Amino acid sequence: MEWYEATALLIGGLMVLMFIGIPVAVAFLLINMAGVYVFMGGLIGVEQMIANSTSSVTSFALVPVPLFLIMGELLFHSGLAFRVFNALDKCFGGVRGRLAYLTVGGGTIFATLSGSSMANTAMLGTTMMPDMMARGYKPHIIMGPILATGGLAMIIPPSSLAVLLGSLARIDVGALLIAGLIPGLILALMFVAVIWILIRIDPEAAPGYATEKYGIREVVWALTRDVLPMGFVVFSVVGLILLGWATPTESAACGAISVLILAAVYRCLNWFVIQKSLMGSVKVSAMMLLIIIGSTTFSQILAFSGASRGLIEFSTGFDLPPAVMLLAMLMVVIVMGMFMDQLSIMMLVLPIFMPLVHLYHFNEVWFGVLTLLALELSLATPPFGLLLFVMLGVSPPGTTMRQVVMAAAPFLLCTLLLMVLIAIFPQLTLWLPGIISG
């Protein structure tokens, strides 16, 4: 069988199964069984696929994923995240649009603590949206910052998706996590600038209103009591990696323990919080591991059938300049994100992209950050961006998909602009990991 026939059977078959609504994990399983039966000797190939499934999910590099998920779930269910927002709220006073700015500020802090874009978006939606609606904010100034800031958890460490990307693409996970810190903070500042511009264009989008005035002593006490202790969690995760004292796996464990300690100190740790947090993290982790099992075998079948080699030779046969090849790869990720979830996209493209990355001598960490930004962008792109549906789920009845998409549009342009800046100035991502390794 020619490589293009194998590609059509494997990738085309997978896309068709997903398009007709079959769950991703089941789609991978079905196409893998067909692939091993055709290319790997019938039932013997199926037995080999089962044997490979165990090794694909018993990797030590995947341990941080459930730990980061547990950390985010504990922060949400214990109420620690809400305390951060209440404390930051006292700092903004009567600034017009202060709740939108608070969404970006608090959401950025929570992004450094949760590692999950969906959890971040859901938490911001349930926390900030009711108050903003009650204050008369227009829908676009409510939903836009929530969607944009929710996606920051994908790029700002600790990012569970960055851990998966590094593990699957064999990129240094620690360097990839640290490389996302500066771009993530730049993106947050861009979001603040967009909010300021939108309010300047339409002041009624965020009506002014009288707010309770707090003295300096009250503000300082609120920050010291509710925000400063979160630095303990950030240090446990990011600081330990920066100092070289812990691996990403060890820092994830330290982060989960630090949240448990804080919840106990604040007396908001109980059996209900633990149960809800564990159930939430188990559900997401199980889904991810099932997809990893299917996609790892899928990558092996692609290689065994000759489809991977044929695709690479076909791609390089055009003799494209490196910049054009990079643009093409990122566009593939963004377009696929309109129809598929981020984990599935990584599983499909990484076996093809990483050999091209090595062939064109792209820096792996730099390419990893650009890929994460493309995935973040695709989270809020229609028609099937996951964050769009999360936003619809927490919005009041009658909210349409068009309203959500239009609210997200200006903030998506920020992500595109940052991707261009990183492509032109790679040191935005490589400077900090270089300092650490040096």
Side-chain angles (χ1 to χ4, degrees):
M1 186 180 291
E2 296 293 334
W3 70 266
Y4 50 83
E5 294 174 322
T7 302
L9 173 63
L10 295 172
I11 297 181
L14 184 63
M15 297 291 286
V16 169
L17 290 175
M18 290 182 179
F19 182 76
I20 62 177
I22 293 178
V24 174
V26 178
F28 269 118
L29 176 62
L30 292 175
I31 207 68
N32 285 341
M33 292 183 67
V36 296
Y37 194 85
V38 172
F39 298 109
M40 300 177 70
L43 293 178
I44 297 176
V46 176
E47 293 175 3
Q48 184 63 43
M49 180 186 75
I50 295 171
N52 291 344
S53 299
T54 303
S55 60
S56 65
V57 292
T58 53
S59 170
F60 188 69
L62 294 176
V63 174
V65 175
L67 291 174
F68 284 145
L69 290 172
I70 289 173
M71 189 171 65
E73 293 282 341
L74 283 170
L75 282 165
F76 178 71
H77 291 295
S78 66
L80 291 177
F82 299 101
R83 298 176 73 101
V84 172
F85 279 97
N86 291 334
L88 290 177
D89 188 30
K90 296 180 180 180
C91 302
F92 284 92
V95 175
R96 183 180 287 270
R98 70 187 184 93
L99 293 179
Y101 295 122
L102 177 61
T103 298
V104 176
T108 302
I109 293 175
F110 190 67
T112 66
L113 302 174
S114 71
S116 170
S117 292
M118 293 184 68
N120 204 21
T121 304
M123 188 275 298
L124 290 173
T126 55
T127 306
M128 303 303 301
M129 179 172 274
D131 197 13
M132 294 170 84
M133 292 179 62
R135 301 292 184 184
Y137 282 57
K138 292 187 177 179
H140 70 278
I141 210 71
I142 298 175
M143 295 184 289
I146 292 175
L147 274 168
T149 311
L152 283 178
M154 187 176 289
I155 188 72
I156 291 182
S159 164
S160 54
L161 204 69
V163 174
L164 284 172
L165 176 63
S167 303
L168 296 168
R170 302 186 185 279
I171 301 172
D172 184 342
V173 174
L176 184 59
L177 285 171
I178 298 306
L181 184 58
I182 292 177
L185 295 176
I186 293 174
L187 197 55
L189 292 175
M190 286 182 173
F191 294 159
V192 169
V194 168
I195 293 171
W196 183 83
I197 292 171
L198 291 175
I199 294 175
R200 294 279 291 183
I201 294 172
D202 181 12
E204 292 306 311
Y209 56 90
T211 59
E212 184 178 351
K213 293 184 178 180
Y214 297 95
I216 295 296
R217 180 178 297 179
E218 291 176 282
V219 172
V220 171
W221 169 241
L223 292 175
T224 303
R225 182 191 60 199
D226 295 327
V227 179
L228 191 60
M230 295 299 117
F232 173 52
V233 181
V234 175
F235 175 78
S236 299
V237 178
V238 182
L240 293 179
I241 298 176
L242 286 172
L243 293 172
W245 293 354
T247 65
T249 303
E250 293 164 345
S251 67
C254 291
I257 292 172
S258 66
V259 175
L260 277 173
I261 293 172
L262 281 181
V265 169
Y266 282 103
R267 297 182 180 179
C268 52
L269 183 66
N270 53 50
W271 174 244
F272 175 78
V273 168
I274 295 174
Q275 184 183 36
K276 293 287 288 185
S277 301
L278 289 176
M279 285 298 296
S281 60
V282 165
K283 288 178 181 178
V284 178
S285 299
M287 179 271 294
M288 287 184 172
L289 293 176
L290 278 174
I291 296 176
I292 289 172
I293 288 174
S295 60
T296 303
T297 307
F298 182 75
S299 302
Q300 295 170 348
I301 299 171
L302 277 177
F304 190 84
S305 66
S308 294
R309 184 180 68 253
L311 281 169
I312 292 167
E313 291 174 354
F314 176 75
S315 302
T316 55
F318 294 105
D319 195 24
L320 296 175
V324 177
M325 179 57 72
L326 176 67
L327 177 62
M329 289 192 287
L330 295 177
M331 285 302 299
V332 167
V333 173
I334 293 172
V335 172
M336 290 180 71
M338 297 179 182
F339 306 97
M340 301 170 61
D341 68 275
Q342 281 55 48
L343 190 55
S344 303
I345 294 170
M346 289 196 304
M347 301 308 180
L348 281 171
V349 303
L350 288 178
I352 301 167
F353 283 3
M354 292 315 296
L356 292 173
V357 168
H358 298 144
L359 184 65
Y360 279 86
H361 304 291
F362 294 145
N363 183 281
E364 292 180 347
V365 173
W366 172 73
F367 178 77
V369 173
L370 283 172
T371 303
L372 285 173
L373 284 169
L375 290 169
E376 179 192 327
L377 186 69
S378 68
L379 274 173
T381 50
F384 298 118
L386 291 180
L387 293 190
L388 298 178
F389 291 101
V390 173
M391 192 72 250
L392 275 177
V394 298
S395 298
T399 304
T400 64
M401 177 63 79
R402 184 179 183 278
Q403 287 178 304
V404 178
V405 171
M406 294 304 295
F411 300 91
L412 296 182
L413 293 176
C414 293
T415 304
L416 283 173
L417 176 59
L418 180 62
M419 291 174 68
V420 172
L421 290 174
I422 291 175
I424 298 173
F425 305 107
Q427 286 304 311
L428 288 173
T429 61
L430 302 179
W431 175 75
L432 194 55
I435 293 293
I436 303 305
S437 63

